[in-house]
Amino acid sequence: MDRPFAVEDASAQPDLWRVPDPPKKGRPKTDRPHYIGHRDRLRERATAGGLAALPDYELLELYLFRAIPRGDVKPLAKQLLARFGSLGGVLGAAAEELRTVKGVGEALALDLKLMHEASLRTAREAVAKRPVISSWSALLAYVKTALAHEAREQFRVLFLDKKNQLIADEVMNRGTVDHAPVYPREVMRRALELSASAVILLHNHPSGDPTPSSADIDMTRQVVDAGRPLRIAVHDHLIAARDGVASLKALGLF
């Protein structure tokens, strides 16, 4: 009896219904990273609409382009804003704090601090060129730029001449997250050295709330008392924080 048999062809058979693969000259367009072309588009938008029209994270992105020439920097921009709360918070953060964010090295931290220093000097120019008490809005802008985002409490003094023009802006003490010791005699000693006729006291609240504490009020009154026999006036004590700037004079606290 004949046995049935089959003929087998070991060669591969073409699949006539298979969709052919795309040419291997690079990945399909849909597989390209989403950020390809994003830098050019963002630059075009900034040129067409002006920088003021950009949200903070895109403004920060544009700046990061210069320090990080390749790749997607949008996540880093958003991470920095989330970590420090605002664009001012990013620029005001200490270099060592900036470097705790993944993707921020020593060079980028320096670049961000350069932008902050430029902003600070621009704000100081507006204060220095005319009597301080007649340019109060410029003074508040400067105080906020200089102090609002400091991680530790800092006590500064603006020393003014007889025309209420700025002689010097000096840091008298740096402290902890909630305290910077102030010595009224040291404030007045320095005022005499500079031949100052008046001072404006400045300090910050890293907590974010500029509301004066009872210790702030007591200290202000001590400085006022120390200056009275020397005929050195205390025009105000300004407390800067993320939520704004408080004036003890305007609040009637001395």
Side-chain angles (χ1 to χ4, degrees):
M1 181 175 178
D2 295 336
R3 298 174 60 188
F5 68 93
V7 178
E8 296 182 0
D9 186 353
S11 63
Q13 298 297 313
D15 182 354
L16 299 179
W17 304 105
R18 183 176 63 83
V19 177
D21 293 331
K24 295 182 179 180
K25 293 183 179 180
R27 291 178 298 184
K29 189 174 181 180
T30 54
D31 290 341
R32 297 174 70 201
H34 67 88
Y35 54 82
I36 296 297
H38 172 66
R39 294 186 177 216
D40 290 337
R41 290 191 296 273
L42 184 54
R43 289 188 180 104
E44 289 170 3
R45 284 177 48 218
T47 301
L51 295 174
L54 298 179
D56 285 355
Y57 79 90
E58 289 187 335
L59 192 67
L60 186 54
E61 267 191 273
L62 273 174
Y63 190 75
L64 295 178
F65 288 170
R66 307 182 69 81
I68 304 174
R70 295 180 183 84
D72 185 8
V73 297
K74 182 186 290 185
L76 178 57
K78 290 189 172 182
Q79 187 179 357
L80 283 165
L81 290 169
R83 168 71 172 79
F84 297 106
S86 66
L87 184 58
V90 173
L91 301 181
E96 55 269 23
E97 291 181 315
L98 290 167
R99 290 196 297 269
T100 64
V101 177
K102 186 177 180 181
V104 179
E106 186 174 346
L108 178 53
L110 178 59
D111 283 353
L112 291 168
K113 295 312 299 176
L114 281 171
M115 186 192 284
H116 181 250
E117 182 62 24
S119 301
L120 184 59
R121 293 188 186 195
T122 301
R124 187 185 295 134
E125 284 177 1
V127 173
K129 290 182 177 179
R130 47 187 172 168
V132 170
I133 59 175
S134 67
S135 53
W136 205 249
S137 60
L139 174 62
L140 295 180
Y142 169 64
V143 171
K144 193 163 186 178
T145 300
L147 286 170
H149 299 285
E150 284 285 332
R152 295 185 178 276
E153 196 161 304
Q154 184 182 119
F155 183 79
R156 304 170 76 128
V157 180
L158 303 182
F159 297 95
L160 310 178
D161 64 14
K162 291 180 180 180
K163 296 181 179 179
N164 288 315
Q165 291 184 327
L166 186 65
I167 298 173
D169 169 13
E170 296 187 356
V171 177
M172 300 296 291
N173 215 333
R174 289 184 172 90
T176 63
V177 294
D178 60 2
H179 180 61
V182 181
Y183 303 100
R185 289 181 182 178
E186 286 300 305
V187 173
M188 290 304 147
R189 180 189 64 78
R190 185 59 178 149
L192 290 171
E193 288 177 350
L194 294 170
S195 298
S197 297
V199 298
I200 296 176
L201 312 178
L202 314 173
H203 87 278
N204 63 305
H205 281 179
S207 66
D209 181 3
T211 303
S213 67
S214 57
D216 294 333
I217 298 168
D218 290 343
M219 179 272 292
T220 305
R221 291 171 177 169
Q222 289 175 30
V223 177
V224 171
D225 290 342
R228 188 173 289 117
L230 303 173
R231 296 186 178 180
I232 297 174
V234 177
H235 283 329
D236 209 337
H237 182 177
L238 301 176
I239 302 175
R242 291 187 301 274
D243 294 342
V245 180
S247 161
L248 272 71
K249 188 77 169 181
L251 292 170
L253 296 176
F254 75 95

